Amino acid sequence: MSGHGAEPGSLGKAVCILTGASRGFGRSLAQELCRRVMPGSTLLLLSRTEDALRGLAGELEAQCPGVSVRWEAADLSSGEGVRRAERAARELPGGHSVEKIIIINNAGSLGDISKFFVDFTDPEAVDRYLSFNVSSTLCLTSSILKIFPGRPGLQRVVVNVSSLAALQPFKSWTLYCAGKAARDMMFRVLAEEETEIRVLNYAPGPLDTEMHELGRKETADPELRLNLIDMKNNGKLIDCQVSAKKMVDILQADHYKSGAHIDFYD
Ligand code: NDP
């Protein structure tokens, strides 16, 4: 989709909160959102790396006059990090002229993919993975929804950046598949409970990012590892900007069933 719908400002006056904004898919999402919101909108960028966030915020403010870009360095694998992110969200302007709140849960990690199911014997290591990839996603989203309660004239949109791994098992990706499946289901429950909130589980397709590179290096299952390497070598990875544009197009068109899992290739 191109042209009309993707015009600058076409998303209206929005407050967008984006995790994992410092690099990879999140960085492209930040650029796409910034271009598509109206002046007077605000973006909050979250991740751990302060320098990357500061640099990106500066770039975006220069490219998109009238859009306020804030950032907060927060490690979402800890309760303290989630609270930091919440505090930053509480300081965002939420006046009556805001038409949309868009919460995008993009941050994530592969976990230890050098192991198979039978190697996970340490419950604390598993808890640490789930704490970042599942618990923080739930708690941060809920806190933000409380900070911005529903009101007439406000559309609240929640996105979970999902994966094919939410639907399909991949050998040696036990934690990643389990975390993505759990996230999809959590957000399906949200869609059932809060029918006025628009909820999207978006699988961005295989992307040329650090996460994919890690997959190519550390995946224990040889067949999957070769498959990932083949994707990279044969130009099968999707450009983050292309997938980010597609995701924002889906949000803007607003035709999806709330809670649906939509893949880049759909
Ligand atoms: P990257 O690993 O390239 O980026 C991950 C982002 O998450 C970074 O901005 C990172 O920033 C942030 N992050 C990592 N750990 C933490 C933490 N503890 N607290 C806060 N932020 C953190 O991943 P991608 O861009 O590839 O992936 C983005 C999303 O897309 C993920 O949810 C992933 O599962 C999903 N996805 C990716 C695919 C791919 O092929 N790459 C395929 C399908 C889905 P920082 O280090 O600064 O904290």
Side-chain angles (χ1 to χ4, degrees):
M1 211 185 297
S2 65
H4 192 70
E7 276 167 15
S10 49
L11 278 176
K13 189 166 168 190
V15 169
C16 308
I17 299 160
L18 171 64
T19 69
S22 60
R23 57 187 153 88
F25 187 54
R27 190 179 170 90
S28 295
L29 278 176
Q31 288 163 334
E32 188 64 30
L33 287 166
C34 199
R35 226 172 48 75
R36 301 267 279 262
V37 295
M38 279 204 350
S41 297
T42 310
L43 260 62
L44 173 61
L45 312 176
L46 301 164
S47 87
R48 291 167 302 181
T49 315
E50 203 171 312
D51 287 351
L53 292 173
R54 185 186 296 111
L56 177 60
E59 267 174 46
L60 294 177
E61 284 198 325
Q63 285 161 15
C64 312
V67 177
S68 161
V69 184
R70 305 183 183 191
W71 55 272
E72 184 71 34
D75 182 348
L76 297 176
S77 67
S78 72
E80 172 48 29
V82 175
R83 285 186 287 276
R84 265 181 98 90
E86 281 169 23
R87 281 196 296 273
R90 213 173 284 285
E91 284 164 19
L92 295 171
H96 274 256
S97 62
V98 174
E99 298 164 292
K100 256 188 219 297
I101 304 287
I102 306 177
I103 306 166
I104 303 180
N105 292 285
N106 165 71
S109 63
L110 276 174
D112 191 345
I113 50 173
S114 69
K115 289 191 168 111
F116 291 98
F117 182 105
V118 294
D119 302 316
F120 286 102
T121 50
D122 175 4
E124 281 162 19
V126 175
D127 284 351
R128 276 196 297 278
Y129 181 82
L130 295 175
S131 173
F132 167 41
N133 286 278
V134 179
S135 314
S136 81
T137 306
L138 169 58
C139 297
L140 183 60
T141 303
S142 305
S143 304
I144 297 169
L145 289 172
K146 280 195 198 301
I147 294 168
F148 298 99
R151 61 164 165 79
L154 177 71
Q155 186 189 44
R156 297 190 295 167
V157 180
V158 174
V159 181
N160 167 38
V161 177
S162 182
S163 164
L164 180 57
L167 310 178
Q168 191 179 312
F170 289 95
K171 288 180 199 171
S172 68
W173 285 13
T174 312
L175 295 181
Y176 188 69
C177 294
K180 288 298 190 194
R183 278 167 64 143
D184 265 35
M185 185 51 86
M186 273 170 7
F187 288 101
R188 286 174 62 188
V189 172
L190 173 66
E192 292 289 323
E193 287 181 355
E194 305 283 342
T195 50
E196 105 290 359
I197 299 178
R198 303 285 292 138
V199 183
L200 175 67
N201 289 302
Y202 177 72
L207 305 168
D208 200 357
T209 63
E210 286 180 34
M211 181 179 282
H212 202 274
E213 192 182 345
L214 195 69
R216 296 194 299 273
K217 283 193 183 136
E218 296 192 358
T219 296
D221 182 60
E223 199 182 333
L224 177 56
R225 196 173 62 247
L226 286 177
N227 203 350
L228 299 171
I229 293 169
D230 171 71
M231 284 181 186
K232 171 71 177 170
N233 292 346
N234 292 303
K236 294 180 194 158
L237 295 180
I238 300 162
D239 187 319
C240 285
Q241 287 177 0
V242 173
S243 189
K245 178 177 182 304
K246 173 136 189 181
M247 190 190 107
V248 180
D249 284 345
I250 293 168
L251 293 184
Q252 192 178 316
D254 201 21
H255 294 322
Y256 58 91
K257 181 179 183 300
S258 191
H261 174 106
I262 299 182
D263 193 279
F264 175 82
Y265 291 113
D266 288 344

